[in-house]
Amino acid sequence: MALGDGIRRNIASVSQQERNRFRDALIALNQRFFPGDRTDFPAGHVSHWFKQDEIHQATHVHGGPAFLPWHRELCNRFEALLRAVDPDLSLHYWDWNTDPAPLFTATFMGTANGDAGDPWLSAGFYDPNVVGDNYRDNSIHGLNLSPPSYPLHANPADPPKSLTRAKQAGAPPVGQTVGGAVWPTDSQIVGAGTFQQFNDLIQGCEMGTSNNCAHGMAHTYIGGTIGNPHTSFRDPFVFLLHSNVDRLWAMWQTQPGHADRLDPGQVYGPDGTNASSPINAPLQPWAGEANWTTTGGWPVRPWYTPENQQVAKTSKDLTVVIPPCYDTLPTVPASVTLVTSSVNFNDVPVGETAARAIVFSAISCGDVHLSITAGPTVLTGPSGTNFGMFPPPLGTTVTIPYIASSTPPVGRLWISYKGTTPLDVATGTVTVHCAETNQDFVVPIAANTIARPTVAVMLVLDQSGSMGWLAGIDPTTKRIDVLHQAAAQFVQLAQDSSRVGDAVGMVSFDHNAYPGVAVTTNAGTGFDLAPVVAAIQALHPAGATSIGNGVALGRNTLNPVAGFNQKAMVVFTDGLENTSLFIADVLGSINDRTFAIGLGTAQQVSVGALTALANNTGGRLLLSGQLSPSIDDYFRLSKFFMQVLAGVTNTSIVTDPSGYILPGMKVRIPFVLNETDIDCTVILLEDLPAVRFFIETPAGDLMDPARATAAGATYAVGTNMSYYRFTLPLPLGANPAHAGTWHALLELDQKIFQRYARASDQSFAAVAARMVHGVRYSLSAQANSNLRMQGALTQSSLQPGATLTLRASLSEYGVPVDHRASVHAAVERPDNSQAGLALLEIEAGSFEASTIASMQGVYRFRMVASGVTMHGVPFTREQLLSGAVLPGGDNPFPTSGPSTRGQDKQLCELLECLLKPEMLGRLMTEYHIDANALRACIERWCKERLSGPSEEEIREREGTAITAITSAQAAGPVGPTLSSEIIAAVQDIFRKYRA
């Protein structure tokens, strides 16, 4: 006999080791708790063991046709709890033809007579010395209805005060009559002709149909707590007894020539066809016991509020009808169910490959083997339509392993479909054979292709005064220069012919917001987005910072745009919000996915508000930290914009290295593509446009700009950028190139390099540096692919000490990459120290790791995944992530206070009216007040009050002026005040005028 084979056996025959594990699992169940508190209704914090008594008392399915299926469900669920503790265990049975005396020991079932004692006493299964009233007594209680509550000594979270036994001497009186009650033999029970006859032999005395009383006499034989049907499930031995009852029912069901007894529609005979029979009612309390106030049942968590984990099944459910595996059964025929009646490939984009599963469930005492024996075959569809299959483990065969569970195990066979041309429709069929049941399942297939999804992107760019500061990457480059280049490159990549139908627009902001260029569609001319690039290049630093104004204008510009599958905003800023509107003012109105890029340290950027803006919309925030002359920092903002473009267009980063290239040097940068990749873009960024750039296929064929055109690929040049984009496979060389190791080849054009390096506007030091270091470059290989990585970073807080959690999910054709990859992240801390972080695969294709952000500042992560595809071809994926913490980071975000502009305007209009000659002119003359001077003073005050902050105040807010400004002034426009003398005089005028 094999421990862990899922077969229920005679408990007397299993090893002492397995009995010990069975005992230990029972004890462990009393140390595991369902959610909630004892004082809840229904009660929470009930141990997994005490829950069995609660379930039994709540329902009491005895004396009727549902007795057998209800107790089978209870036993199956209990076995699942045991296996949650120890997966190798099964719910074995006590053969009531034998004396169980050897089982009643202090190391297994406790004593046979009197107090049960250990191991149950010390494990808290009962407590004879409980203090107070928190214990369960032996009475039958009804629930209090108003308010719903438990009577005294009825709370299921409490232990009973006693657990006793009164076992009769010798073996049970099976086949005998005792006191008029008959205990039928096993052969009589198993030989019953109908379900009704079987049920009568088990519990006729309880139903009042006969003196047959096998079930009741077994309880009485053990006696004590188990002899009382109301308290019997407080004794662990009861499950051995009921496992035996279920075994006899299973033996009756599997008698040769009676396949009807495994058929949910026939097994129960007339009880199954009677609509009002309990057989056709949901099994309680697992169905939720919604009408407990009238049925007399008890609501039980977690199958009631607040968890609401209800399972609506009747006694006819296959998981109830098909018996568990017992050692006394003949081979139980497998029951295989086709869960997916058809395979539907809905809306597959052109060029993408989708995977769909044919799902089967199986109930069996052994493994079930399924295989595709015909197809998948195309029945209708255009030329080129193909329904394919995958290699193992997703391939043409699948084994559903035997798992005893209340939920049948499932198996999946995967079918693929590659999108052809928009509006194409196809149908097909596939046949799957089950070896154990000799069934053939014919599954229809349907598919349709749609155009590649289009996206409209709105750039929201900061042009405030601080953008005129140096970026930190060299002695002369300003922040606005870095933005000009990075944002322009973003738009130039979006202009590619493969992105026809996409669109980009731009707005900018300082303390106000400015419409730049409306959402402009890439129509494929190569120049459609040029106005967006020109508008970006025309941005000049000025003013304060109102990110909320920019976001609001971006939203209002993007919202009415129609005709795109997706819309997104990209918000760039280098500073702290210092002028309303603030992000918090508009956060609730942003519906489109929003990415945020922050240029600066955690102290220089509105980290909290930007994080909320990105996270609330499904985007992400990327923070640069303090930039330096390093290569990575030089290209960091450009990489951020490219990462965002990849995220918006659902493109994967394959690799993203940086370096220097010197005169005479040739650089070979490898990148791996595989059969899941649809097309590829290789982008070269450089600080001088002096690098010749080629692509080498895995076979060694070379693609230069001229050969790119001939091969149907694209070669394009942008702002300090060039790129190749090509569809896979690439028709270059003797055989089309696809999977394998490709190379980007870089070499300096010495003439161009020397001309730039010796340009007259450069200092001697800059020229010397150029000659020593050469050209800085960054190369990014990206793939539009069926193998995708989605990375994310979440923070428990924005203050030092927060936990930063990295998560990555890998999928291939929509199927998790199950234990075929590893993911790690390189982290750069605020002090520039570095560390590695390995992400663990917590479930199929999902990886996770955490680190503590102990010091304030920006934490930058480079997440890298590597593995193999279903066909065993290597792949890599990369993504940049960032987080930040700073003291006070969890403080509320700034918001605009109530506006006084309306009140100020009304006051000014009132004063203007009052100061007219026909109103107060005579009184002011009487009191020797110069009306013209007063009028001029009030006009000046009103003009400045209503016109907003002055230029000097704006410079002070932004930090571009020498004089500092208080936070109170930064919150909103504050103008000059009227002198106290004038105010007093006007008040006196009004007072005399009223008199």
Side-chain angles (χ1 to χ4, degrees):
M1 64 186 65
L3 176 64
D5 63 5
I7 297 177
R8 298 180 184 179
R9 293 184 169 86
N10 185 343
I11 189 67
S13 67
V14 303
S15 68
Q16 185 63 48
Q17 176 195 19
E18 186 171 357
R19 286 194 214 172
N20 292 343
R21 289 170 65 171
F22 185 86
R23 173 206 62 208
D24 293 344
L26 287 168
I27 293 172
L29 292 181
N30 204 37
Q31 299 164 352
R32 299 186 177 197
F33 298 88
F34 286 91
D37 298 317
R38 175 191 177 277
T39 54
D40 296 340
F41 184 88
H45 201 66
V46 179
S47 77
H48 288 195
W49 169 249
F50 287 167
K51 182 64 66 174
Q52 310 314 306
D53 183 42
E54 181 187 7
I55 290 170
H56 195 253
Q57 291 202 38
T59 317
H60 267 316
V61 179
H62 293 85
F67 167 79
L68 290 163
W70 186 91
H71 281 83
R72 174 173 285 175
E73 178 72 7
L74 178 66
C75 288
N76 287 348
R77 286 177 172 272
F78 185 69
E79 185 175 59
L81 290 176
L82 289 173
R83 287 175 174 161
V85 177
D86 188 336
D88 290 335
L89 294 179
S90 294
L91 182 54
H92 298 307
Y93 62 88
W94 160 53
D95 181 353
W96 60 30
N97 292 285
T98 62
D99 188 342
L103 303 176
F104 291 107
T105 67
T107 59
F108 188 48
M109 281 291 133
T111 61
N113 295 92
D115 189 78
D118 278 337
W120 315 123
L121 177 61
S122 60
F125 279 52
Y126 67 107
D127 184 359
N129 301 313
V130 66
V131 177
D133 289 322
N134 291 351
Y135 65 88
R136 281 175 286 155
D137 61 23
N138 297 333
S139 301
I140 299 176
H141 294 281
L143 293 175
N144 300 321
L145 299 182
S146 183
S149 61
Y150 299 100
L152 187 65
H153 305 317
N155 192 307
D158 296 335
K161 291 190 74 170
S162 64
L163 179 58
T164 63
R165 305 219 178 87
K167 176 189 167 299
Q168 298 173 16
V174 176
Q176 300 179 37
T177 301
V178 179
V182 179
W183 191 328
T185 64
D186 289 3
S187 60
Q188 290 173 320
I189 294 172
V190 172
T194 66
F195 174 80
Q196 286 67 34
Q197 292 171 357
F198 181 93
N199 197 27
D200 176 83
L201 291 165
I202 292 290
Q203 55 156 1
C205 62
E206 298 173 54
M207 297 189 296
T209 57
S210 71
N211 292 333
N212 295 320
C213 208
H215 166 253
M217 292 180 74
H219 277 267
T220 303
Y221 170 78
I222 301 298
T225 298
I226 208 171
N228 180 347
H230 182 73
T231 61
S232 60
F233 276 76
R234 299 175 184 179
D235 187 337
F237 194 85
V238 74
F239 278 102
L240 303 179
L241 186 158
H242 267 278
S243 183
N244 190 62
V245 172
D246 187 70
R247 177 182 70 96
L248 294 173
W249 185 31
M251 292 176 66
W252 175 80
Q253 288 182 273
T254 55
Q255 289 297 297
H258 288 285
D260 56 301
R261 296 176 183 178
L262 295 170
D263 181 348
Q266 300 183 70
V267 59
Y268 301 111
D271 286 314
T273 57
N274 182 353
S276 62
S277 169
I279 292 296
N280 294 300
L283 292 170
Q284 302 289 3
W286 307 289
E289 200 70 82
N291 301 316
W292 66 271
T293 57
T294 57
T295 63
W298 288 22
V300 178
R301 293 169 65 178
W303 307 285
Y304 196 76
T305 58
E307 292 81 21
N308 291 313
Q309 297 178 10
Q310 295 92 334
V311 178
K313 67 164 74 169
T314 70
S315 299
K316 290 183 176 180
D317 193 276
L318 270 178
T319 61
V320 179
V321 173
I322 302 299
C325 300
Y326 290 95
D327 59 352
T328 58
L329 300 189
T331 301
V332 178
S335 174
V336 178
T337 301
L338 175 62
V339 178
T340 51
S341 58
S342 63
V343 176
N344 295 300
F345 293 92
N346 295 323
D347 297 341
V348 179
V350 172
E352 292 193 18
T353 299
R356 299 289 187 269
I358 311 169
V359 183
F360 294 87
S361 66
I363 302 174
S364 174
C365 286
D367 293 349
V368 171
H369 301 85
L370 297 157
S371 60
I372 294 176
T373 54
T377 303
V378 176
L379 298 180
T380 65
S383 175
T385 299
N386 179 57
F387 296 119
M389 294 178 291
F390 293 96
L394 305 182
T396 59
T397 63
V398 66
T399 298
I400 304 179
Y402 164 70
I403 301 173
S405 169
S406 57
T407 302
V410 299
R412 294 176 173 86
L413 289 165
W414 294 86
I415 304 297
S416 68
Y417 169 73
K418 184 175 181 179
T420 50
T421 302
L423 303 181
D424 281 352
V425 175
T427 62
T429 184
V430 62
T431 301
V432 179
H433 179 76
C434 176
E436 284 70 25
T437 64
N438 198 33
Q439 291 173 280
D440 286 314
F441 299 88
V442 179
V443 184
I445 306 171
N448 73 287
T449 300
I450 61 171
R452 180 187 55 80
T454 56
V455 59
V457 180
M458 175 57 65
L459 299 177
V460 181
L461 305 180
D462 189 342
Q463 63 169 50
S464 62
S466 59
M467 289 294 292
W469 296 349
L470 291 175
I473 60 176
D474 59 32
T476 59
T477 302
K478 297 179 181 180
R479 294 180 174 184
I480 195 70
D481 301 326
V482 176
L483 175 62
H484 285 162
Q485 176 168 295
Q489 290 167 342
F490 177 98
V491 178
Q492 288 159 353
L493 287 169
Q495 177 66 74
D496 185 79
S497 59
S498 68
R499 305 305 310 176
V500 170
D502 288 351
V504 182
M506 189 275 287
V507 300
S508 61
F509 65 90
D510 45 34
H511 53 282
N512 294 312
Y514 309 97
V517 180
V519 174
T520 304
T521 300
N522 175 5
T525 68
F527 305 99
D528 303 296
L529 303 184
V532 185
V533 175
I536 292 170
Q537 302 289 7
L539 295 177
H540 296 289
T545 303
S546 172
I547 305 175
N549 270 333
V551 170
L553 179 58
R555 172 204 63 199
N556 293 339
T557 306
L558 187 60
N559 275 358
V561 174
F564 297 90
N565 301 97
Q566 303 168 32
K567 293 190 284 187
M569 284 200 298
V570 181
V571 179
F572 168 86
T573 184
D574 79 325
L576 297 168
E577 301 181 279
N578 54 39
T579 302
S580 65
L581 294 172
F582 297 98
I583 292 175
D585 298 328
V586 300
L587 188 60
S589 64
I590 306 302
N591 299 318
D592 296 313
R593 193 178 184 192
T594 301
F595 297 83
I597 297 175
L599 175 57
T601 66
Q603 294 80 9
Q604 295 170 331
V605 179
S606 297
V607 172
L610 289 171
T611 298
L613 177 65
N615 290 352
N616 288 355
T617 60
R620 60 177 177 269
L621 168 64
L622 293 171
L623 295 168
S624 71
Q626 186 69 48
L627 296 185
S628 71
S630 72
I631 299 176
D632 285 338
D633 279 350
Y634 182 87
F635 294 110
R636 191 171 301 281
L637 199 61
S638 293
K639 287 187 176 186
F640 281 0
F641 271 94
M642 286 197 299
Q643 287 269 333
V644 169
L645 182 61
V648 168
T649 59
N650 208 16
T651 300
S652 299
I653 308 295
V654 177
T655 189
D656 192 18
S658 302
Y660 283 102
I661 182 168
L662 296 168
M665 178 187 294
K666 293 184 178 181
V667 178
R668 285 170 55 85
I669 302 172
F671 59 96
V672 177
L673 300 178
N674 58 72
E675 77 283 357
T676 69
D677 299 327
I678 302 167
D679 61 52
C680 178
T681 305
V682 187
I683 306 163
L684 175 66
L685 306 177
E686 49 197 327
D687 64 350
L688 283 180
V691 178
R692 288 197 290 263
F693 172 30
F694 312 99
I695 300 295
E696 183 182 274
T697 71
D701 295 301
L702 202 64
M703 179 166 64
D704 58 18
R707 296 191 73 186
T709 302
T714 298
Y715 174 78
V717 176
T719 304
N720 282 4
M721 174 186 71
S722 57
Y723 67 88
Y724 289 91
R725 179 168 282 161
F726 48 94
T727 301
L728 295 168
L730 177 67
L732 188 67
N735 297 299
H738 199 153
T741 301
W742 297 62
H743 288 85
L745 308 182
L746 310 180
E747 63 181 18
L748 272 186
D749 185 314
Q750 302 232 20
K751 291 183 179 180
I752 297 177
F753 171 69
Q754 290 176 5
R755 184 170 71 248
Y756 275 105
R758 294 192 171 98
S760 60
D761 60 346
Q762 296 194 73
S763 66
F764 176 79
V767 172
R770 279 287 182 205
M771 301 307 294
V772 171
H773 296 295
V775 173
R776 287 176 285 199
Y777 73 84
S778 176
L779 186 118
S780 179
Q782 305 180 2
N784 177 22
S785 179
N786 293 295
L787 197 155
R788 295 165 180 161
M789 179 174 77
Q790 296 290 337
L793 182 147
T794 58
Q795 302 186 208
S796 63
S797 165
L798 291 171
Q799 300 193 132
T803 299
L804 307 184
T805 301
L806 296 177
R807 294 183 177 88
S809 62
L810 285 167
S811 64
E812 185 176 355
Y813 305 110
V815 181
V817 176
D818 188 357
H819 291 86
R820 290 187 280 115
S822 62
V823 182
H824 67 275
V827 54
E828 183 178 350
R829 304 186 184 97
D831 62 356
N832 296 322
S833 63
Q834 298 186 0
L837 197 62
L839 281 70
L840 300 179
E841 189 166 3
I842 56 174
E843 58 185 38
S846 295
F847 302 79
E848 186 175 298
S850 298
T851 186
I852 302 298
S854 57
M855 64 182 79
Q856 63 174 311
V858 176
Y859 290 75
R860 301 187 295 212
F861 298 86
R862 177 173 171 258
M863 183 187 295
V864 179
S866 59
V868 294
T869 68
M870 296 176 188
H871 287 85
V873 179
F875 73 85
T876 60
R877 294 291 182 265
E878 294 191 13
Q879 187 171 327
L880 300 179
L881 297 167
S882 60
V885 294
L886 69 160
D890 290 337
N891 292 342
F893 314 143
T895 58
S896 302
S899 174
T900 63
R901 184 177 181 85
Q903 296 176 350
D904 292 345
K905 186 177 181 180
Q906 291 177 348
L907 175 61
C908 290
E909 291 173 348
L910 174 63
L911 291 174
E912 181 182 0
C913 178
L914 292 174
L915 292 178
K916 291 179 178 179
E918 64 271 21
M919 295 294 291
L920 299 179
R922 181 177 57 81
L923 287 175
M924 286 190 285
T925 300
E926 180 182 341
Y927 283 90
H928 307 289
I929 296 174
D930 187 338
N932 291 331
L934 178 59
R935 186 179 295 108
C937 181
I938 291 175
E939 287 177 353
R940 185 171 62 253
W941 182 87
C942 287
K943 179 180 179 181
E944 294 177 353
R945 183 76 178 182
L946 297 177
S947 64
S950 66
E951 290 186 9
E952 180 59 27
E953 184 179 346
I954 288 172
R955 287 193 293 270
E956 290 173 344
R957 292 184 187 183
E958 189 66 9
T960 55
I962 297 175
T963 306
I965 189 167
T966 67
S967 59
Q969 289 172 307
V974 180
T977 59
L978 295 172
S979 70
S980 58
E981 292 83 1
I982 292 178
I983 293 174
V986 172
Q987 289 175 338
D988 187 49
I989 290 171
F990 292 162
R991 185 168 56 253
K992 294 295 180 79
Y993 183 76
R994 287 195 300 269

